Amino acid sequence: LNADYTLNRKIFLNAGVSAGRNKFLNDVADRHDTFFGWDTGIRYQMNEHFQMGASFSYVKNWSSLNYADFDNKGFSLDISTRY
């Protein structure tokens, strides 16, 4: 589930959430994982040729195997140009 919001003609915000369940085929341990994640970001469009943005994401995974639980966090910065 994602949402985008235009704050003004140069600043754009976004956010999202995700959840699900994975079943691993041919796994002798009968592994299945459940995950939940969210993300958020901002983008600044200086003009029609140049924009930059930043985003953060987080995922939490719970597994039927104790050693397969994990948290994953990510941060990204991007700059793009188009002519």
Side-chain angles (χ1 to χ4, degrees):
L1 178 64
N2 292 302
D4 295 316
Y5 180 74
T6 302
L7 192 60
N8 58 42
R9 58 185 290 256
K10 293 187 177 269
I11 299 175
F12 306 89
L13 307 172
N14 62 35
V17 294
S18 60
R21 188 170 173 92
N22 295 316
K23 174 129 175 84
F24 293 81
L25 301 175
N26 298 326
D27 195 338
V28 293
D30 190 34
R31 179 180 172 185
H32 53 275
D33 290 9
T34 303
F35 67 89
F36 173 78
W38 61 270
D39 61 83
T40 187
I42 186 169
R43 184 168 51 94
Y44 173 72
Q45 187 166 355
M46 184 178 288
N47 56 43
E48 67 180 78
H49 300 292
F50 182 78
Q51 65 183 4
M52 63 181 87
S55 63
F56 179 81
S57 64
Y58 175 80
V59 174
K60 172 71 177 171
N61 189 78
W62 298 273
S63 180
S64 59
L65 303 179
N66 289 334
Y67 60 84
D69 290 348
F70 64 87
D71 292 343
N72 186 351
K73 298 171 192 147
F75 180 75
S76 68
L77 294 172
D78 65 87
I79 299 172
S80 64
T81 184
R82 181 179 79 180
Y83 286 94

